[in-house]
Amino acid sequence: MTSAVELQSLATQLRRDAIRMVTHAGSGHVGGAMGAAELFAVLYGGGILRHRPSEPDWSERDRVVLSNGHICASWYAVLARTGYLPLEELETHRRFGSRLQGHPARAKLPGLVETSSGPLGQGPSVANGLAMALRMNGSDARVYCILGDGELAEGQVWEAAMTAGHHRLGNTVYLILANDVQIDGRVSDVKTQEPIDRRFASFGWEAQRVHGHDVDALRAALGDDPDEGDASREATGKPQCFVLEVEMARGVVAWEGLAKWHGTKPSPKEAAAALEEIGEALGYEDFPIVAGNNNGARP
Amino acid sequence: MNIQATAKRAMRDAFGETLVTLGGENSDIVVLTADLAEAIRLDAFATAFPERFIQMGISEADMMGTAAGLALAGKIPIATTFAIFATSLGNQPIRVSIGYNKANAKICTSHGGVTVGPDGATHQAFEDVALMRMIPGMTVILPADANEAAAATRAIVEHDGPVYMRLGRIPTPVFSHPDQGFRIDEAPILRDGRDVAICAMGIMVSMALEAADELASEHGVEATVVNVHTIKPLDKGTVTDAARRCGCVVTAEEHSVLGGLGGAISEVLGATHPVPVERVGVADTFGESGEPDEILEAYGLTSAAIVASALQAVGRKR
């Protein structure tokens, strides 16, 4: 079993990768990507997902739907760090010809991107459809749908939440990154979404809050009960919602919690200071930046 | 060739019946509804295949996204509701979750156009074809009668890729043969003439045939009638050949004259063989309550309107 220290190192590297990708691209969404670092590390590196990097389209894989597609920098990074993508490709993010589009595109990465995302609120419905199909096929694979808290203002999220609750999609897990930040400010100022866990519970879900930067807490919450095995969660028939309490731009104190870092690119100087503060990740090296504009972009 | 209509039947009836047959043949078919199962004639499918019938409630956007997910996992989802709700309320997930993903989902709607009648403007879809035409990779089909609706339903299930198909609510004349088949890439020529080409879609095809009879008997004008059941991808060859042969074109659609069949044909002919084009359809306006026949008359969707436009088009030829 991967140790907590190793998982935290992976998360640290994903943070570094996200900062370097967005800075090199000259645009992008760095803050949310940094806030999701521990989640991606635990999902892909902590034994939560059932998946095979050597066989991305394995039919029994758990499905991941990134509904808040704008945080894709650290998601592409974890795919590279777990063997799905060449590390060299990370520098192409958001560039013309790249497979690593500004928002995840199934057409560019078939088999890896389960569904294209970007316009908020659409992932949960697709996740439900995937879950229904898996259930019809008798598969015990799960569907994990990642959302932001600001995204919950989209009505389609609640249509989908009703659907999953009503149809008892026990193989469905929504992971909500609750950082209380959206483009125009605090989520609690723009449009209140809390109490997210109680809202989901009232829609027929099992819901709980988790410290989203604590790899042990995440692994304990998302993992199966060792005594009951992986059937324990499906037994209730209730879909699962985890409200992950996270911080925008976690890891760089001057950036943390600021709406500015939703979609602002760091200057080279800011990036250098941020990387210095985050420090190097044990056992990892930064992906190469060969320099030049489209260098490395794939046709 | 003259085609005589034998009887009237609603396309949605043929659709519902065909779904049951197809459901028995292909266990990947899943049918979804947003609280309109009876209106779209899904009850028989729901009874025969309850495990593959998904009631979504009044949530069109969620239904489209769910259909996308089912398709991406290998199912052939058929998402059904009224034309206006599918294409307006469901537009964003149709664009991204279905279209951009190239999901093999079929969006099948009834109550398109004006014939929803007394429900009024909010329920009358004049723009659904235009909206769906703009989604890259979307196939857009409007069968002309109940027999063609049955054949088209089979064809869209066999076709790999997203499809929008609009069906009519009210019984309309049945003139096509039950065994004629359906080719998505081919617009059938129902009548040959050399003076004017009438390109019609949906319920306007039978009116175009009536108009062609009247043009021949009353005005000595011989019309070609093309059944453009697939607006996208358009059979550009047949349309261009008809324009070349006849020298002018009339389009007829139960839809806005903007962005639908008239728009599509004008786009093609502007590039291939520019000739005068007259468009019969709904002007740039909302509808209103009334019986279907009253609305069709008031909004100029009649064989008489096609005749008048044909004479005008012929007069514009050089």
Side-chain angles (χ1 to χ4, degrees), chain A residues 101 105-107 114-116 119 122 125-126 128-130 132-133 136-137 156 159-160 163 167, chain B residues 30 51 54-56 59-62 65-66 69-70 72-73 75 92-93 96-97 100-102:
Chain A
Q101 294 282 295
R106 184 178 168 88
E114 302 284 357
T115 181
S116 306
Q122 295 193 38
S125 301
V126 179
N128 290 347
L130 290 167
M132 288 175 179
M136 286 177 197
N137 292 344
Q156 196 183 328
E159 292 183 14
T163 297
H167 288 281
Chain B
V30 178
E51 72 289 355
I54 304 175
Q55 174 58 264
M56 295 298 299
S59 331
E60 291 77 10
D62 183 39
T66 304
L70 285 159
L72 296 171
K75 301 296 178 191
Q92 180 56 221
V96 174
S97 303
Y100 189 36
N101 278 334
K102 296 188 171 69

Side-chain angles (χ1 to χ4, degrees), chain A residues 54-78:
Chain A
S54 62
E55 192 185 350
D57 60 353
W58 179 37
S59 64
E60 292 305 306
R61 72 189 182 280
D62 288 341
R63 271 64 169 177
V64 175
V65 169
L66 189 66
S67 189
N68 53 343
H70 61 275
I71 70 161
C72 57
S74 55
W75 183 63
Y76 292 141
V78 83

Side-chain angles (χ1 to χ4, degrees), chain A residues 214-264:
Chain A
D214 179 335
V215 293
D216 284 327
L218 277 170
R219 188 150 60 172
L222 301 182
D224 295 315
D225 183 331
D227 296 328
E228 297 186 58
D230 63 2
S232 58
R233 291 204 310 221
E234 279 80 357
T236 65
K238 287 189 175 184
Q240 308 266 319
C241 168
F242 295 93
V243 181
L244 311 177
E245 293 170 348
V246 294
E247 272 189 302
M248 167 70 82
R250 167 81 168 193
V252 178
V253 172
W255 299 2
E256 283 175 357
L258 298 181
K260 169 188 172 184
W261 294 106
H262 164 84
T264 306

Side-chain angles (χ1 to χ4, degrees), chain A residues 5 17 22 128 154 161 163 176 181 194 250 270-271 275:
Chain A
V5 171
D17 289 343
V22 170
N128 290 347
E154 290 285 1
T163 297
I176 298 169
V181 175
E194 294 289 2
R250 167 81 168 193
E270 286 170 319
L275 293 170

Side-chain angles (χ1 to χ4, degrees), chain A:
Chain A
M1 190 162 151
T2 315
S3 73
V5 171
E6 288 170 306
L7 287 178
Q8 190 56 59
S9 281
L10 174 56
T12 299
Q13 186 59 47
L14 298 182
R15 234 170 228 122
R16 293 183 65 88
D17 289 343
I19 292 170
R20 295 179 74 245
M21 288 167 76
V22 170
T23 305
H24 182 61
S27 69
H29 301 88
V30 74
M34 292 167 69
E38 280 78 16
L39 171 63
F40 289 136
V42 169
L43 265 186
Y44 285 85
I48 301 300
L49 278 187
R50 186 169 76 186
H51 67 137
R52 288 180 181 166
S54 62
E55 192 185 350
D57 60 353
W58 179 37
S59 64
E60 292 305 306
R61 72 189 182 280
D62 288 341
R63 271 64 169 177
V64 175
V65 169
L66 189 66
S67 189
N68 53 343
H70 61 275
I71 70 161
C72 57
S74 55
W75 183 63
Y76 292 141
V78 83
L79 292 179
R81 298 288 170 186
T82 49
Y84 285 101
L85 294 170
L87 269 188
E88 293 71 27
E89 201 165 336
L90 292 181
E91 74 160 321
T92 70
H93 176 42
R94 296 179 73 92
R95 289 176 188 271
F96 186 70
S98 175
R99 299 194 299 174
L100 311 186
Q101 294 282 295
H103 293 85
R106 184 178 168 88
K108 299 285 184 182
L109 274 176
L112 268 187
V113 173
E114 302 284 357
T115 181
S116 306
S117 58
L120 296 172
Q122 295 193 38
S125 301
V126 179
N128 290 347
L130 290 167
M132 288 175 179
L134 289 169
R135 186 163 75 177
M136 286 177 197
N137 292 344
S139 168
D140 64 351
R142 290 189 181 132
V143 182
Y144 291 87
C145 180
I146 299 162
L147 303 107
D149 51 357
E151 178 174 14
L152 302 181
E154 290 285 1
Q156 196 183 328
V157 171
W158 299 101
E159 292 183 14
M162 266 180 251
T163 297
H166 178 83
H167 288 281
R168 304 188 73 75
L169 299 179
N171 54 350
T172 304
V173 183
Y174 290 5
L175 303 166
I176 298 169
L177 291 157
N179 62 10
D180 194 30
V181 175
Q182 59 188 103
I183 293 177
D184 277 355
R186 292 267 156 209
V187 174
S188 42
D189 291 332
V190 174
K191 189 178 273 188
T192 302
Q193 300 303 331
E194 294 289 2
I196 297 168
D197 49 343
R198 280 163 48 201
R199 288 185 179 188
F200 271 88
S202 74
F203 278 61
W205 289 60
E206 294 279 2
Q208 61 172 289
R209 306 184 77 89
V210 183
H211 185 341
H213 295 309
D214 179 335
V215 293
D216 284 327
L218 277 170
R219 188 150 60 172
L222 301 182
D224 295 315
D225 183 331
D227 296 328
E228 297 186 58
D230 63 2
S232 58
R233 291 204 310 221
E234 279 80 357
T236 65
K238 287 189 175 184
Q240 308 266 319
C241 168
F242 295 93
V243 181
L244 311 177
E245 293 170 348
V246 294
E247 272 189 302
M248 167 70 82
R250 167 81 168 193
V252 178
V253 172
W255 299 2
E256 283 175 357
L258 298 181
K260 169 188 172 184
W261 294 106
H262 164 84
T264 306
K265 71 162 170 124
S267 69
K269 196 175 161 188
E270 286 170 319
L275 293 170
E276 179 73 27
E277 180 178 341
I278 289 169
E280 289 189 1
L282 196 66
Y284 292 94
E285 285 183 16
D286 287 336
F287 64 86
I289 293 178
V290 182
N293 285 328
N294 292 318
N295 196 355
R298 301 170 69 112

